[in-house]
Amino acid sequence: YPAYLGARLADFYERAGRAEVLNGGQGSVSIVGAVSPPGGDFTEPVTQNTLRMVKVFWALDSKLTQRRHFPSINWLDSYSLYDLDLEPWFVENVSPDWNKNKRRAMAILQENAELEEIVMLVGSDALPEDQQVTLEVARMIINFWLAQSAFHPVDTFSPYKKQFDLLASILKYRDYAFEAVQKGIPVAQITSVPSKDALAKVRLEAEYEPILAKVLAQMDTEFKALK
């Protein structure tokens, strides 16, 4: 790679920005760069020099593609440096709990990644019951919330309010589940409540709110009945 690689990349990306155009109006140019490193090696020079200049990174993951999980964006390797700047907007326009729930979900996904390494060695049954619940909740976040079908007329787009409500429902299941574990209820009963799988279908409904309210009421009833 030439020594001027970083400078050439900087020349390209600095074209992005906001400016006053010749007719006196305001205009902007946004650049979304696509870097395909050999063998998916993010340490190679083009990727590393690009990461020094951009503030948002979406890491495409071939393993997710093989699992038919779309969009195949790795939720742990990807990041945005605009996160803190956007938090007040989400609090004002979506919900005061948006940022708290987002951090809870990320913590669950991070713990899930650590637990999966153990599961590969000893199996999930060898884990404590609370960690088994964490694995199940992470699976719900990944399959019910992060997965999306671009070919479905409803699932192709999801408003922020719907995203928040679905994640809040999954986290509510998590709270119910941990409370049940503390009462000594077997994990098999906790993970087999019908309302859990009903959440997966809510994201495919355009008028989801009454359906979600019904599922949450069902979930409350089912956990109260667990013994």
Side-chain angles (χ1 to χ4, degrees):
Y1 294 93
Y4 54 78
L5 173 63
R8 291 288 176 86
L9 285 171
D11 288 342
F12 171 71
Y13 280 104
E14 70 181 3
R15 299 175 186 177
R18 184 177 178 182
E20 185 173 331
V21 295
L22 295 178
N23 66 359
Q26 294 286 331
S28 65
V29 174
S30 298
I31 294 179
V32 180
V35 181
S36 182
D41 181 14
F42 291 164
T43 63
E44 59 87 39
V46 176
T47 303
Q48 286 300 307
N49 280 281
T50 300
L51 290 176
R52 292 190 184 100
M53 285 165 280
V54 299
K55 292 187 176 182
V56 177
F57 177 55
W58 289 345
L60 299 182
D61 193 332
S62 59
K63 293 181 180 178
L64 290 175
T65 304
Q66 293 167 4
R67 286 160 45 187
R68 311 295 294 172
H69 182 285
F70 300 105
S72 303
I73 299 174
N74 187 296
W75 42 85
L76 297 181
D77 293 337
S78 305
Y79 63 84
S80 171
L81 299 182
Y82 294 108
D83 199 27
L84 294 177
D85 296 330
L86 293 173
E87 281 190 356
W89 187 91
F90 283 106
V91 168
E92 181 180 350
N93 294 278
V94 184
S95 171
D97 291 330
W98 172 278
N99 301 308
K100 179 187 71 175
N101 287 358
K102 179 187 66 177
R103 283 189 283 269
R104 288 185 67 190
M106 283 303 300
I108 292 170
L109 293 172
Q110 181 65 57
E111 184 178 358
N112 175 71
E114 298 169 359
L115 292 174
E116 281 185 337
E117 298 179 6
I118 301 174
V119 170
M120 291 177 64
L121 295 174
V122 299
S124 60
D125 292 339
L127 294 176
E129 291 188 331
D130 59 333
Q131 293 182 348
Q132 292 183 43
V133 169
T134 297
L135 287 175
E136 184 65 19
V137 174
R139 186 190 69 82
M140 293 170 65
I141 293 175
I142 293 169
N143 295 329
F144 298 177
W145 194 61
L146 291 176
Q148 182 181 14
S149 172
F151 300 102
H152 192 280
V154 175
D155 199 34
T156 188
F157 172 76
S158 181
Y160 288 129
K161 181 63 167 60
K162 185 176 183 180
Q163 295 178 40
F164 171 80
D165 289 341
L166 289 175
L167 179 58
S169 302
I170 295 172
L171 294 176
K172 187 171 184 179
Y173 169 85
R174 183 260 179 204
D175 294 338
Y176 277 138
F178 269 79
E179 184 179 344
V181 167
Q182 292 174 357
K183 293 179 180 178
I185 297 172
V187 173
Q189 285 185 246
I190 296 172
T191 57
S192 62
V193 293
S195 57
K196 175 178 70 70
D197 294 324
L199 279 177
K201 302 175 183 178
V202 175
R203 67 186 178 96
L204 304 178
E205 301 291 340
E207 301 296 330
Y208 74 94
E209 291 180 317
I211 300 173
L212 181 59
K214 184 178 179 180
V215 171
L216 290 176
Q218 178 185 351
M219 184 185 298
D220 183 65
T221 302
E222 288 171 350
F223 272 97
K224 287 180 178 178
L226 289 179
K227 296 180 180 179

